[in-house]
Amino acid sequence: MLNHGKLATRALLAVVFWPSLFFFWFLGPFVFFLLSTTSSEVCPLLERREQFLASANGTLPMLVLQNLIYAVPIVCLVLWSRLLPEPARARQIVICIKLFAIAAILGALWEYGSSLVCDGYGQPFFSPVWQITSYLPIANIVVNIPLYVLVFSLGRAFSTREDDPTEDTARPDGTVS
């Protein structure tokens, strides 16, 4: 039987987990991509390699903030696993952490590369390899789909009650156990 403190902690984690999963993971990428890349109005004004580098490097704080915010559901899963240790779920959380790290790296490279190349304006200044970053969203989707499914299923499993309803039966003296 779970004690009330653990149940309250699980509920609190669920209150943080579900909104952060839906708002940050499903809506956030669109907002953060717009905020973390060099704007299309700035790109034509950039003329030197140093300007392109400065513009792309200016996106780094937003990329760090973005990944910290995206990590909130993963942190909730880790905390849930501390409350209810189960080896099978622990292995799945490790897989989530690895997929999240890969997705974060791919996303950061994509957004940084987009700012660096700046929709083609920076092509003469940088290696053509940076143009390949335009294909990273495809790789990111391949990583994110299993990550989203796994995180969603783990969140669902952790946020549902697992205590035995037969334990809440009334005792002969009238109290509930």
Side-chain angles (χ1 to χ4, degrees), residues 62-122:
M62 183 60 71
L63 291 174
V64 169
L65 176 65
Q66 174 182 334
N67 285 323
L68 289 174
I69 290 173
Y70 285 169
V72 169
I74 301 293
V75 170
C76 288
L77 289 177
V78 170
L79 293 174
W80 266 327
S81 72
R82 298 281 185 195
L83 286 173
L84 300 167
E86 188 177 310
R89 286 187 188 160
R91 284 190 297 276
Q92 291 177 331
I93 291 172
V94 169
I95 292 170
C96 285
I97 292 170
K98 289 177 182 178
L99 288 173
F100 178 78
I102 292 168
I105 290 167
L106 289 175
L109 283 173
W110 170 45
E111 293 177 26
Y112 185 78
S114 297
S115 293
L116 195 62
V117 176
C118 212
D119 298 327
Y121 291 104

Side-chain angles (χ1 to χ4, degrees), residues 1-150:
M1 180 174 117
L2 288 173
N3 66 30
H4 295 292
K6 279 189 176 183
L7 192 57
T9 304
R10 286 178 62 195
L12 182 61
L13 285 170
V15 167
V16 173
F17 175 82
W18 290 109
S20 67
L21 182 69
F22 288 111
F23 290 114
F24 297 151
W25 281 25
F26 297 124
L27 301 176
F30 304 109
V31 173
F32 279 120
F33 179 71
L34 293 175
L35 293 174
S36 63
T37 58
T38 304
S39 70
S40 58
E41 294 85 31
V42 173
C43 289
L45 302 177
L46 302 176
E47 297 177 355
R48 295 188 327 271
R49 185 177 201 277
E50 297 79 30
Q51 291 174 316
F52 279 94
L53 277 173
S55 181
N57 289 339
T59 66
L60 292 176
M62 183 60 71
L63 291 174
V64 169
L65 176 65
Q66 174 182 334
N67 285 323
L68 289 174
I69 290 173
Y70 285 169
V72 169
I74 301 293
V75 170
C76 288
L77 289 177
V78 170
L79 293 174
W80 266 327
S81 72
R82 298 281 185 195
L83 286 173
L84 300 167
E86 188 177 310
R89 286 187 188 160
R91 284 190 297 276
Q92 291 177 331
I93 291 172
V94 169
I95 292 170
C96 285
I97 292 170
K98 289 177 182 178
L99 288 173
F100 178 78
I102 292 168
I105 290 167
L106 289 175
L109 283 173
W110 170 45
E111 293 177 26
Y112 185 78
S114 297
S115 293
L116 195 62
V117 176
C118 212
D119 298 327
Y121 291 104
Q123 285 180 353
F125 297 120
F126 302 101
S127 164
V129 174
W130 283 108
Q131 294 171 348
I132 295 173
T133 60
S134 63
Y135 295 105
L136 287 178
I138 297 166
N140 215 355
I141 287 173
V142 169
V143 172
N144 276 322
I145 288 175
L147 175 63
Y148 287 178
V149 169
L150 190 56

